[in-house]
Every structure is written in structure tokens, then in C-alpha cells.
């Protein structure tokens, strides 16, 4: 794992470190979600992308936000906002509260799905006696 700002990586090493494919990293760069440095010292006429520890954190945040249901456009807008320095404590709190609310909603949905599946399993294992559990009883 990368620990420190003075560690620089080329795209393949960065992809491994961030748990992404090289194609995904290139896609994120093309969409403006990642903005690695360009190194004129490497790559000649086609400078290499050089990544640091902050880029690993950014990639992890992109993956988290995607798992929360954010669109790439929303993720890009948030990333750009922070790059411009708009990441005040108030704004950061607002974004975090929104992410927490999304996770809590997903947790409620997952809890309902688990309750339904456990009820269905109990019904099956009990020989399917009585009325079978209906999803509508678990989901609002």
C-alpha cells in the first residue's frame, strides 16, 4: 500500500494499488475523475501519467461513491468542486451526511431482503407448511 505523498506510480502500478484495471483508470482519466500528473521526463512525445497517494485515495472514493449509487457525472462534479478548493468543512459535512443517508437506506433495503430470504428459508425447511412469506410483507 502507498503511504506518503512522495511515492509516484505509473499507470499499471497505480491500477494494481487502487484495485482497478488499467482500462478503468484510463476511463476515469478520460472522464476527468482522476487527474494524475504528466511526466515529460518519461514517455517522450507522449508523457506518462504519474500517480501519487492522493490519486489512490481519489480512486477509492470513486469506487465508494459508485457503490452508493452516485453517477459518474455526480462523482466528477464533486471531485471538481474539491479540486477548486470548495471542500469546506460545511460542504464536506453535507456530502458525508448525504453518503451516510444513502448507506442507511441501502442498509434498510438489505435488512428487508435478508428478513424475507430468512423467512422463505425457514418456510422451505419447515416443509412449506402454511402460507409462504411474501415479499410485500418485508418491503414497503
Amino acid at each position: 500500500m502507498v503511504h506518503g505523498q512522495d511515492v509516484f506510480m505509473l499507470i499499471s502500478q497505480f491500477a494494481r494499488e487502487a484495485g482497478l484495471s488499467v482500462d478503468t483508470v484510463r476511463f476515469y482519466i478520460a472522464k476527468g475523475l482522476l487527474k494524475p500528473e504528466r511526466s515529460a521526463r518519461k514517455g517522450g512525445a507522449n508523457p506518462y501519467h504519474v500517480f501519487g497517494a492522493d490519486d489512490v485515495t481519489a480512486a477509492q472514493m470513486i469506487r465508494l461513491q459508485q457503490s452508493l449509487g452516485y453517477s459518474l457525472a455526480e462523482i466528477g462534479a464533486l471531485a471538481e468542486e474539491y479540486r477548486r478548493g470548495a471542500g469546506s468543512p460545511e460542504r464536506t459535512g453535507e456530502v458525508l451526511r448525504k453518503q451516510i443517508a444513502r448507506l442507511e437506506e441501502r442498509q434498510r433495503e438489505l435488512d428487508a431482503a435478508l428478513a424475507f430470504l430468512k423467512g422463505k428459508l425457514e418456510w422451505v425447511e419447515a416443509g412449506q407448511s402454511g402460507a409462504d412469506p411474501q415479499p410485500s410483507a418485508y418491503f414497503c
Side-chain angles (χ1 to χ4, degrees), residues 61-83:
M61 286 304 300
I62 291 167
R63 293 178 75 193
L64 171 64
Q65 290 168 325
Q66 283 182 303
S67 76
L68 294 173
Y70 283 80
S71 70
L72 291 179
E74 289 174 305
I75 295 167
L78 283 170
E80 190 55 38
E81 184 179 328
Y82 278 90
R83 281 189 205 104

Side-chain angles (χ1 to χ4, degrees), residues 93-139:
E94 178 184 328
V95 169
L96 291 173
R97 278 189 293 282
K98 186 175 180 181
Q99 290 173 334
I100 289 167
R102 282 186 180 196
L103 276 176
E104 288 173 341
E105 178 58 30
R106 271 188 61 201
Q107 182 177 19
R108 283 188 290 277
E109 292 167 358
L110 288 172
D111 287 344
L114 278 171
F116 168 72
L117 292 173
K118 287 176 180 179
K120 190 78 164 185
L121 177 60
E122 288 174 16
W123 177 76
V124 167
E125 289 178 339
Q128 300 178 349
S129 61
D132 67 327
Q134 297 298 307
S136 60
Y138 296 89
F139 298 95

Side-chain angles (χ1 to χ4, degrees), residues 42-63:
K42 295 188 178 222
N46 189 17
Y48 286 161
H49 293 288
V50 181
F51 300 86
D54 284 346
D55 296 305
V56 173
T57 300
Q60 291 167 339
M61 286 304 300
I62 291 167
R63 293 178 75 193

